[in-house]
Amino acid sequence: MPLLQALRRLGQRPTMQDWPGLIEAYRPWLPVSAKTPVITLREGATPLIPAPAIAERIGRGVSVFLKYDGLNPTGSFKDRGMTMAISKAKEAGSEAVICASTGNTSAAAAAYARRGGMRAFVLIPDGYVAQGKLAQALLYGAEVLAVKGNFDRALAIVREVADRYPITLVNSLNPYRLQGQKTAAFEVVDALGEAPDWLCIPMGNAGNISAYWMGFKEYQQAGNCQKLPRMMGFQAAGSAPLVLGETVEHPDTIATAIRIGNPVNRDNAIKAREESKGDFMAVTDAEIIEAYKLLGSAEGVFCEPASAASVAGLLKRHGEVPAGARVVCVLTGNGLKDPATAIEHNDSTFHTGLEADTNTVARVMGF
Ligand code: F0G
């Protein structure tokens, strides 16, 4: 039974401090033992936010929820995987970790590794990481190496480095990452009391869709839910190897988090699609930005562009959603990570250089 429900049953009022982080909350489901040093920032327990404006656009009594994983400690779902990967690296005696990243993995790896007293090396594609993510990696004390190449190239390099030298790889090739990330599916079921009918999710390296599917299946096998969702994965049109069925040599999209042409979790993602009778589809950058702006201005939820691909995909496929269905869209990262895109793409008014007097302000306001 989830911790908060257990507390309520005991007649105790839960407080935020009661949430111990996802390893303790879901300990029986995770490959940890009494010997594992738990390195946590109390990640997980992110809200499942109803999205009535998006649901209204779909109609037919469909309800839509946003799994807002941008509210994790470093602002993305990567914290779920990183608390596990770093705790297990620490348990194994590792002194340093390495990852390639479009930004979020590097922020999470840096925060958790430093908290665990380890060095964090992060390789990023030079010039293609949103500013907030770079700021995080630096502030958390990572050793940042920006390479003249894309994420796929950076990942190939860190794999070789981790093969040759005593350093732990914490990309999603590390199996503990997906173990931690599967807890997001547990939380969705715990919140809804059942699995949703559709799970819409952005795909880059395709670890997260694989982790969600593992989580839903484990919960169903344990009797915690009766059904399983259709796994609906979305990629940016310029970076859509899973939709095209082939590697993309030069991936390109405004959603830099998912600017990936050669996903390492390809096989797991395809298995999730087949087993769940789900589907993959590409959404254009214009569709991503439309959904991004709609989430902000109609739902009050600020996510990063890559995250909005899940909602862009749902809106694109609105006609196929069964009447009365419950849909969860995964919002993987916080919008504050990429302020430049928000400032460039919005429909708001922004008057600058105004004289600082009441009459001027009132006139500009239309009075
Ligand atoms: N959304 C965001 C905000 C991401 O940062 C990523 C991946 C994804 C979606 C896709 O998840 O790779 O599991 O399919 N970001 C990685 C990184 C690649 O380095 O931060 P995936």
Side-chain angles (χ1 to χ4, degrees), residues 2 5 19 26 44-49 64-69 80 181-201 208 211-213 215-216 219 224-225 227-229 231 326-331:
Q5 277 176 28
W19 179 257
Y26 292 107
T46 56
L48 192 64
I49 306 174
V64 178
F65 299 87
L66 309 169
K67 180 60 173 165
Y68 190 28
D69 250 0
R80 297 181 179 277
Q181 285 173 214
K182 77 183 178 188
T183 61
F186 297 167
E187 290 178 16
V188 167
V189 174
D190 289 344
L192 292 177
E194 181 51 276
D197 297 290
W198 278 28
L199 192 282
C200 297
I201 186 166
N208 212 25
Y212 264 91
W213 185 236
F216 285 125
Y219 244 33
N224 287 359
C225 55
K227 60 185 181 189
L228 291 168
M231 302 297 285
R326 286 203 288 191
V327 179
V328 169
C329 294
V330 181
L331 299 187

Side-chain angles (χ1 to χ4, degrees), residues 25 43 108 139 149 154 163 176-177 195 339:
E43 58 295 310
L139 187 280
D163 272 351
Y176 298 119
R177 280 277 313 277

Side-chain angles (χ1 to χ4, degrees), residues 94-97 161-168:
S94 181
E95 289 173 3
V97 302
V161 171
D163 272 351
R164 280 192 219 163
Y165 305 101
I167 188 162
T168 305

Side-chain angles (χ1 to χ4, degrees), residues 77-78 101-105 203-208 257-258 260 304 332:
F77 72 100
K78 305 287 181 180
S101 181
T102 56
N104 282 324
T105 301
M203 296 187 298
N205 224 5
N208 212 25
I258 51 173
I260 294 174
E304 59 176 291
T332 45

